[in-house]
Amino acid sequence: MSSANRNTTPVNRRRFLQDAARVAGACAVGGMALTKLATDARALPAQALRPPGALPEEHFLAACIRCGLCVRDCPYDTLKLAELGLDGAATGTPFFTARDVPCEMCEDIPCVVACPTGALDHDLTNIDDSRMGLAVLIDEEKCLNALGLRCDVCYRVCPVIDKAITLELSHNQRSGAHAIFMPVVHSDHCTGCGKCEKSCVLPGEAAIKVLPIRVATADAADHYRLGWEEDTPLVDELIDLPDRLPGPGTDNLVAPGGYLPEGMPDPSMEGGFAPSYGLPGIGGAGQ
Amino acid sequence: MSQTTSLPVGREAVLEKGWWKAYQFLILRRISQVFFLGIFLLGPWAGIWWVKGNLASSLTFDILPLTDPFVLLQGMLAQHWPEMTAIIGALIVGVAYALIGGRVYCSWVCPINPVTDTAHWLHDKLGFAKGWQPKRNTRYWVLGMVLAVSALTGSIAWELVNPISMLHRGLIFGMGFAWTFVLAVFVFDLVVSRRGWCGHLCPVGAFYGLLGKGSILRVSATKRAECDDCMDCFAVCPEMHVITPALRGADADTPIILSSDCTNCGRCIDVCAPDVFTFTTRFDETPAPARAERRNTKRQPEASRAA
């Protein structure tokens, strides 16, 4: 290219432009392939959980440089770097599988401290505030407690016992004489450490699983107002509805009784109300 | 053709300077490559945690942070402002390579270099044609493409495919199928394009080349007057276009190889029997008379053909 720059005869200029177009085209194709890879890399499998404090997935891939320092400082060998073709997470990024090795929720959170870029948010200083995922009792047909037995293992191993998982009593319809101790997960306390999933006594897959927050939670129905949760009344004060007087009309709010008093707006004007049909008794076209 | 050109590459140097002098920088370079991989492997393989992490970012003796500035730059373009640890680490690495030559990373540290060197060795042994030779500035286009994709997708784009991290991280943390990227580079260099990956395409090399544009440590053809046109330096140089301006320059031209493509591998110093080349600084003002005019004119066509 430098030779083309030195010599600016038309042939060389054409050659230069051709070369530039060719390499630009090749880079565009390569760039599109790379963009496809970058987009695909965001598809984190539901079973792959990020370390405590991990930024949301799309931001995480801008921040994580895949150095593995969090993996090295994890004292329980919970974290692994994803291997190409074997693990679903983006190659080289840290993750853990709750069913294999859950997070032990170290108080000093060494993985977060080790992260040089802040892909694991350094503002996370209390491990109880971490949200690696959310436990969900995903198979109530197999959960022993849901069947009316007393397994309770997920409840007992939970590091935030009685807050993140509680046992809710209900009547056992099948036996008619016993209680069901249903494990219920509460999202305001569950850190997603995965100890419940790890400890579930079922062979193979667990009945309770930690899912990524984005999978495990729904958006709140903000278009409904939950009156029992609001301290302010839904309406500020009593609405003074117009008094309806006896008279020929029934829908005529502007002219109660069917006549227009002095000073009232004409119903046909803006702000007035006129029924779309004629009213009987006032000489209209109705009936 | 003189007697020396008929000898195999580097043979004359061995005969004149002895085996060690004819191979010292190659051997030192291999030792360096093994060292930089080895200190990372000491932890996982031997439980000696002097260095943790990998080439993207590491922590040495629990105090010294080192971060790849190219990876960090992509992250910043993807709109993540990193913690101070990574910034300090990238500054240390950046300043070091800016002083000793950016592409020292390529020839003395990068674990892909032995792979492509092996591909080149086999390529020579098998007598393949040099194949597709992309334009010299292709790597800068690739570099620009990588930075653009990083900014557009909001992710560190090159790390999705970077064969360097695939190999280095793979050896340290677990390979998976990452070896396919390494094999791809090997095959590409062997049958598609001689010296193609490191010499024409790799955006990491392009980045470090730009980083070391003003580096202090340089190779200089100080004794270029003694060049006997054996062409061995051109045969071993992975970026042979960098030699010509220095070696074939006139009296007024500097004998110092100033191209940022030079990887400071020192192989030209090894194979040169008359010891034309030497490591020096870019400020070295030692007078270096050009070679005698008649040899210049006589050898020019042959030289350019070989280059």
Side-chain angles (χ1 to χ4, degrees):
Chain A
M1 199 61 66
S2 56
S3 63
N5 285 339
R6 254 183 270 128
N7 192 342
T8 50
T9 62
V11 174
N12 275 348
R13 188 179 301 125
R14 187 180 308 141
R15 181 74 194 273
F16 169 80
L17 290 172
Q18 278 174 347
D19 288 343
R22 188 178 298 153
V23 68
C27 281
V29 172
M32 278 188 275
L34 201 55
T35 305
K36 172 85 172 76
L37 281 179
T39 320
D40 288 353
R42 296 210 184 104
L44 184 67
Q47 300 292 81
L49 301 174
R50 290 296 186 202
L55 301 175
E57 187 63 13
E58 63 276 9
H59 197 163
F60 187 77
L61 294 181
C64 174
I65 56 176
R66 308 164 186 216
C67 65
L69 285 172
C70 53
V71 173
R72 290 298 178 229
D73 280 10
C74 175
Y76 299 98
D77 288 341
T78 299
L79 296 176
K80 291 198 305 174
L81 290 191
E83 294 180 27
L84 186 70
L86 302 181
D87 306 307
T91 306
T93 56
F95 76 104
F96 70 99
T97 310
R99 191 64 164 157
D100 297 339
V101 191
C103 173
E104 296 287 341
M105 288 174 60
C106 313
E107 294 222 334
D108 50 348
I109 331 182
C111 50
V112 171
V113 176
C115 180
T117 64
L120 308 181
D121 192 347
H122 285 213
D123 290 339
L124 179 74
T125 48
N126 180 358
I127 188 65
D128 287 339
D129 293 338
S130 65
R131 293 291 178 269
M132 294 167 265
L134 180 62
V136 177
L137 181 58
I138 207 161
D139 195 346
E140 294 190 5
E141 294 177 344
K142 310 266 172 49
C143 170
L144 297 176
N145 269 43
L147 293 172
L149 303 165
R150 289 304 299 277
C151 161
D152 294 3
V153 169
C154 56
Y155 163 76
R156 292 190 183 283
V157 298
C158 178
V160 204
I161 188 168
D162 274 326
K163 287 184 187 156
I165 301 182
T166 56
L167 295 178
E168 305 291 330
L169 267 66
S170 61
H171 177 60
N172 186 338
Q173 297 277 2
R174 183 186 52 78
S175 74
H178 303 89
I180 287 179
F181 290 76
M182 195 67 162
V184 175
V185 181
H186 303 279
S187 62
D188 45 350
H189 288 290
C190 175
T191 64
C193 72
K195 296 211 85 170
C196 52
E197 179 176 344
K198 167 69 180 171
S199 320
C200 178
V201 300
L202 297 184
E205 294 287 319
I208 189 166
K209 283 182 177 154
V210 177
L211 303 178
I213 301 279
R214 65 175 201 282
V215 176
T217 57
D219 291 332
D222 286 331
H223 53 295
Y224 283 95
R225 304 192 63 178
L226 310 179
W228 61 91
E229 284 188 357
E230 305 203 2
D231 357 335
T232 53
L234 291 181
V235 285
D236 292 339
E237 54 198 51
L238 275 182
I239 298 174
D240 188 19
L241 294 170
D243 301 319
R244 186 167 294 168
L245 301 176
T250 53
D251 290 328
N252 195 340
L253 299 178
V254 172
Y259 59 90
L260 273 174
E262 284 299 310
M264 291 291 280
D266 189 286
S268 62
M269 302 297 286
E270 194 185 348
F273 172 79
S276 60
Y277 48 88
L279 293 169
I282 53 170
Q287 295 287 25
Chain B
M1 193 151 285
S2 70
Q3 184 100 46
T4 53
T5 44
S6 56
L7 286 174
V9 172
R11 188 82 203 114
E12 191 193 357
V14 176
L15 293 176
E16 295 220 357
K17 310 198 291 185
W19 189 85
W20 167 247
K21 278 279 173 197
Y23 283 100
Q24 63 170 335
F25 284 110
L26 181 63
I27 290 166
L28 287 175
R29 211 155 58 78
R30 295 289 177 242
I31 291 173
S32 164
Q33 288 163 344
V34 169
F35 172 78
F36 280 105
L37 185 56
I39 48 168
F40 283 97
L41 288 172
L42 264 186
W45 287 9
I48 303 167
W49 293 103
W50 288 344
V51 179
K52 289 188 289 192
N54 57 37
L55 284 178
S57 193
S58 62
L59 191 62
T60 305
F61 296 121
D62 283 323
I63 182 77
L64 174 69
L66 295 173
T67 301
D68 183 343
F70 181 51
V71 175
L72 207 64
L73 175 67
Q74 292 172 71
M76 286 172 165
L77 286 174
Q79 295 181 22
H80 174 77
W81 187 255
E83 292 284 332
M84 215 51 204
T85 318
I87 297 175
I88 293 171
L91 281 177
I92 296 173
V93 173
V95 168
Y97 282 120
L99 292 177
I100 61 171
R103 297 207 63 201
V104 164
Y105 173 78
C106 300
S107 58
W108 293 78
V109 178
C110 178
I112 285 291
N113 179 277
V115 174
T116 55
D117 272 0
T118 309
H120 180 247
W121 174 82
L122 196 58
H123 187 281
D124 269 5
K125 280 268 174 250
L126 298 174
F128 287 168
K130 66 179 175 182
W132 178 52
Q133 293 291 292
K135 291 274 176 285
R136 277 290 155 197
N137 64 357
T138 305
R139 63 182 108 196
Y140 299 111
W141 283 86
V142 178
L143 174 62
M145 180 267 284
V146 166
L147 296 179
V149 172
S150 290
L152 286 174
T153 62
S155 54
I156 299 175
W158 191 243
E159 289 310 290
L160 294 165
V161 292
N162 188 358
I164 304 169
S165 4
M166 291 287 175
L167 177 58
H168 197 252
R169 193 201 307 118
L171 289 171
I172 297 165
F173 286 94
M175 185 68 85
F177 283 86
W179 55 266
T180 51
F181 281 81
V182 183
L183 182 67
V185 167
F186 181 83
V187 171
F188 177 78
D189 264 27
L190 180 62
V191 299
V192 180
S193 171
R194 183 183 69 181
R195 299 261 196 221
W197 184 258
C198 303
H200 295 92
L201 296 181
C202 179
V204 181
F207 172 84
Y208 278 98
L210 291 175
L211 183 68
K213 236 178 162 40
S215 75
I216 310 293
L217 182 66
R218 295 287 175 173
V219 174
S220 170
T222 312
K223 290 200 279 176
R224 57 187 168 185
E226 293 174 32
C227 173
D228 64 358
D229 276 331
C230 76
M231 305 302 292
D232 281 2
C233 55
F234 287 99
V236 296
C237 182
E239 304 274 357
M240 53 181 100
H241 60 285
V242 308
I243 297 180
T244 316
L247 184 64
R248 309 279 202 235
D251 283 340
D253 298 331
T254 175
I256 301 171
I257 295 175
L258 289 173
S259 167
S260 59
D261 288 344
C262 174
T263 69
N264 276 356
C265 72
R267 192 70 184 118
C268 54
I269 306 175
D270 281 350
V271 297
C272 185
D275 265 337
V276 166
F277 298 96
T278 179
F279 270 122
T280 180
T281 71
R282 71 183 298 121
F283 311 115
D284 192 351
E285 300 277 350
T286 314
R291 300 173 315 147
E293 190 62 29
R294 72 187 157 75
R295 293 165 81 188
N296 232 347
T297 48
K298 196 175 120 201
R299 289 292 174 189
Q300 199 67 49
E302 198 179 296
S304 56
R305 207 183 319 130

